[in-house]
Amino acid sequence: MPKEPIIGIDLGTTNSCAAIVEGDNAGVPIVKLIPYKGGEYTVPSIFAIDDKGHELIGYEAKRQWQLNPKNTVYGAKRLMGRSFRSDIVETMQRVVAYSVRPGQKNDVVIDVANKEFSMPEISARILNKIRDVASNYLRVPVRRAVVTVPAYFNDRQRQAVKDAGKSIDLEVLRIINEPTAAALAYGVGKKLNETVVIFDLGGGTFDVSIIEIRDRVFEVKATGGDIFLGGIDFDNAMIHHILKDFTAKTGIDLASDPVAMQRIKDLAERTKCDLSAREEVPFNIPFITMTAQGQPLNIELKFTRKLLEQLTSGLVDRTLQMVARVLVDSGLSTKDIDEVMLVGGQTRMPVVQERLTKFFGKPPSKGVHPDEAVAIGAALYAHSLQDDTNLRLQLLDVIPMAIGLEKAGGAFHVVFPRNAPIPNAKQVTATTSFDQQTELMMRIFQGDNDQVIRNELLGEFTFSGIRADKAGKAQVEITFDVNIEGILTMHARDPSSGREMKTTVRVTQS
Ligand code: AMP
């Protein structure tokens, strides 16, 4: 074991997991998932504070969730790096029992037991737990990691993960995309020459990537996804049905009862998973509430796989539409695809596999373990960064959504189109619009809409020290630099003197 090991971390929406390379077998690295207490390999991505004020993370937090739903935070990754005004935050507010409100930078903060937490603070606690488990297992302090994020994470979300690491003295050496990590788990050491589709439907996010593997070179051809599509949405579709049915039978709306909601949520998820293996599953919760006269009421339902498929058909349709779009973006057709790889727990739903089989004309491969592939890939990449490594990997990735700037009237001027390869740099020349103007402000967005208001604001950049001159005379040459992790930096210079200008960034509301 190296003195300074680098671990791979899959920081998942529902569960997180870590892995490390321990030795090799005839040149092929052997990856070990880091076990947690009781032999589990995953840690629930849940954070809570109990009534005594103790912070709980992972299983400890999950165990008390039903009794303490208001102070138990789950699915927080979906809120990471989001501005409070985004549609996503609004949707989240409707489905979670904890309180979500705007922070000072128009980010999202959560109140847990009357204490305020930012999203990076919550992620930092989960990362810290994983690091502690890894340090105990490896018997050396772990200070460096490769962390995976959904390919569809924007610049701000990637930055938030780096910040979370920094706050607990865990250096996030590299952020890599989850589907790319899954492709590494599949392809490293096999001397492949294949084009694969990684279809990753996890607890909270959906990603699809088309990746060309040429031995140790992993080149992403196109990527797409939906940060708000995952297992939780399948659960919510069931919950919605259960609540409607209960109201129709009793006239009582359970939505405002957090403890009842938590019990329904738990059983809905379990029932959903059982329906992947069985055609019919009972859904019974005794004493869910009482009538005004104090009579106990139960939920007694029967769920069939068919009903679940009907309730969630719109969600499955959306995944297939995205697959079709990504295929078009890659310039390939279904016959160019050698393997379709499933990642993420929600891909165990039979209808997801059936639809993919129909679409590609062949069944998805079982080449990777859907829950472990991402952590394994992260560990392989981590190993390739270790000083004494003999594993050389080349990742050629793309940006998931266009990056550009706001033009007059709120139109979006694209600087990097979606699926532009990274690292990448582009220059834009701007001119002053009034006499003696010495400062220029530019708002940068990421997204696929032609109006900036529908995209995510990455930052407000101010370039100062422009040569005072008549309107339209002074120029600023602005360089947009997207690094290998998909993180943007900007700098500007005066093209007439070559002098660098001062750049300040502010992330505010759009
Ligand atoms: P992940 O983020 O990859 O851990 O995926 C977790 C999601 O997969 C959760 O929404 C689970 O409810 C869902 N899931 C896990 N097992 C199954 C299963 N057998 N059938 C359907 N969904 C599942």
Side-chain angles (χ1 to χ4, degrees):
M1 182 57 46
K3 268 208 225 70
E4 280 283 333
I6 310 171
I7 61 169
I9 299 179
D10 167 10
L11 184 64
T13 310
T14 35
N15 291 302
S16 295
C17 177
I20 187 152
V21 168
E22 286 189 339
D24 72 279
N25 184 2
V28 180
I30 301 168
V31 187
K32 278 265 166 64
L33 288 170
I34 295 178
Y36 185 47
K37 276 201 289 246
E40 294 277 354
Y41 289 113
T42 57
V43 176
S45 309
I46 302 179
F47 167 71
I49 298 184
D50 69 11
D51 52 4
K52 294 192 190 67
H54 297 138
E55 290 193 1
L56 307 172
I57 299 144
Y59 287 101
E60 288 82 9
K62 191 170 185 177
R63 259 199 299 276
Q64 53 85 65
W65 180 1
Q66 280 205 6
L67 300 170
N68 184 24
K70 283 200 152 128
N71 296 316
T72 304
V73 183
Y74 65 95
K77 183 169 149 186
R78 288 178 138 184
L79 297 169
M80 202 65 175
R82 289 273 159 201
S83 59
F84 186 77
R85 295 239 310 258
S86 78
D87 299 350
I88 288 162
V89 177
E90 199 189 307
T91 313
M92 243 346 230
Q93 271 178 306
R94 273 188 268 122
V95 296
V96 297
Y98 52 82
S99 113
V100 176
R101 53 180 191 82
Q104 282 185 344
K105 290 184 241 154
N106 193 47
D107 51 348
V108 177
V109 295
I110 297 181
D111 289 320
V112 191
N114 299 322
K115 275 194 217 147
E116 183 183 295
F117 291 89
S118 68
M119 301 323 299
E121 279 170 340
I122 289 179
S123 287
R125 279 165 170 79
I126 295 164
L127 277 176
N128 204 24
K129 176 82 183 180
I130 300 166
R131 186 252 298 271
D132 284 352
V133 170
S135 296
N136 281 339
Y137 172 76
L138 300 170
R139 295 168 197 275
V140 282
V142 172
R143 291 197 194 87
R144 299 184 297 169
V146 168
V147 179
T148 59
V149 297
Y152 218 54
F153 254 23
N154 65 32
D155 165 274
R156 222 178 130 175
Q157 293 170 301
R158 287 163 197 265
Q159 201 61 62
V161 173
K162 285 223 145 184
D163 292 347
K166 209 176 275 164
S167 73
I168 55 161
D169 194 25
L170 178 72
E171 190 185 354
V172 178
L173 283 180
R174 185 68 69 82
I175 286 185
I176 63 172
N177 291 333
E178 289 163 10
T180 315
L184 290 174
Y186 168 69
V188 166
K190 289 195 191 144
K191 299 204 180 323
L192 299 176
N193 195 354
E194 284 187 3
T195 303
V196 300
V197 170
I198 308 284
F199 181 96
D200 181 355
L201 188 59
T205 55
F206 169 59
D207 264 334
V208 53
S209 294
I210 297 182
I211 302 178
E212 209 178 85
I213 307 175
R214 295 184 303 275
D215 191 14
R216 289 176 176 193
V217 181
F218 292 73
E219 181 173 357
V220 180
K221 296 306 224 183
T223 193
D226 190 332
I227 206 82
F228 229 75
L229 180 55
I232 295 176
D233 301 295
F234 288 70
D235 303 348
N236 288 338
M238 289 175 78
I239 294 164
H240 186 70
H241 172 81
I242 295 156
L243 294 182
K244 230 171 70 188
D245 183 78
F246 193 79
T247 308
K249 286 178 181 154
T250 64
I252 298 174
D253 180 8
L254 293 171
S256 52
D257 177 346
V259 175
M261 282 299 287
Q262 201 50 57
R263 292 176 71 194
I264 295 171
K265 224 173 260 176
D266 277 358
L267 189 61
E269 191 192 355
R270 256 184 291 142
T271 306
K272 175 191 76 175
C273 295
D274 288 348
L275 284 170
S276 291
R278 291 159 58 189
E279 290 287 344
E280 195 175 295
V281 178
F283 189 98
N284 298 328
I285 306 181
F287 310 128
I288 189 79
T289 190
M290 281 196 269
T291 63
Q293 291 74 36
Q295 289 285 51
L297 290 171
N298 309 329
I299 296 182
E300 278 161 9
L301 276 177
K302 205 168 266 158
F303 250 96
T304 59
R305 189 185 285 176
K306 256 234 127 43
L307 174 60
L308 174 64
E309 287 174 6
Q310 276 165 11
L311 294 172
T312 57
S313 68
L315 301 173
V316 180
D317 287 349
R318 274 164 60 196
T319 66
L320 267 298
Q321 283 156 10
M322 186 52 79
V323 170
R325 189 191 94 179
V326 172
L327 200 59
V328 170
D329 282 357
S330 72
L332 299 172
S333 74
T334 51
K335 65 175 185 335
D336 300 315
I337 304 300
D338 297 300
E339 298 275 359
V340 180
M341 218 77 69
L342 300 180
V343 183
Q346 192 59 48
T347 59
R348 294 205 177 89
M349 189 179 184
V351 75
V352 171
Q353 302 181 14
E354 286 156 21
R355 295 279 302 272
L356 283 169
T357 305
K358 217 183 244 165
F359 188 92
F360 286 102
K362 58 170 143 283
S365 126
K366 303 263 183 278
V368 293
H369 189 297
D371 301 332
E372 298 171 358
V374 173
I376 289 174
L380 286 166
Y381 198 72
H383 181 63
S384 80
L385 300 178
Q386 207 88 52
D387 289 339
D388 54 354
T389 188
N390 51 14
L391 178 68
R392 302 251 170 263
L393 293 174
Q394 198 179 354
L395 300 191
L396 303 168
D397 226 309
V398 297
I399 54 165
M401 285 161 281
I403 293 178
L405 48 99
E406 179 181 25
K407 283 202 304 195
F412 184 46
H413 173 79
V414 172
V415 177
F416 300 99
R418 129 178 133 222
N419 289 316
I422 49 174
N424 208 330
K426 285 234 160 85
Q427 275 171 354
V428 170
T429 304
T431 44
T432 48
S433 36
F434 51 88
D435 291 348
Q436 311 306 318
Q437 181 179 351
T438 55
E439 224 175 59
L440 189 112
M441 197 271 280
M442 201 175 252
R443 298 210 304 161
I444 307 301
F445 290 80
Q446 186 163 20
D448 287 328
N449 203 285
D450 57 11
Q451 292 298 307
V452 292
I453 191 92
R454 308 298 307 272
N455 296 329
E456 192 80 30
L457 178 72
L458 298 184
E460 221 173 71
F461 291 77
T462 305
F463 307 108
S464 37
I466 301 173
R467 186 170 44 84
D469 208 333
K470 284 215 155 30
K473 277 269 185 197
Q475 286 190 327
V476 188
E477 190 184 84
I478 300 159
T479 306
F480 290 66
D481 215 324
V482 183
N483 75 1
I484 196 139
E485 298 171 298
I487 293 176
L488 172 75
T489 50
M490 309 240 302
H491 51 101
R493 50 175 221 133
D494 177 342
S496 59
S497 68
R499 198 167 48 86
E500 280 289 321
M501 287 177 188
K502 188 168 170 305
T503 307
T504 43
V505 193
R506 207 156 64 98
V507 177
T508 51
Q509 73 271 29
S510 48

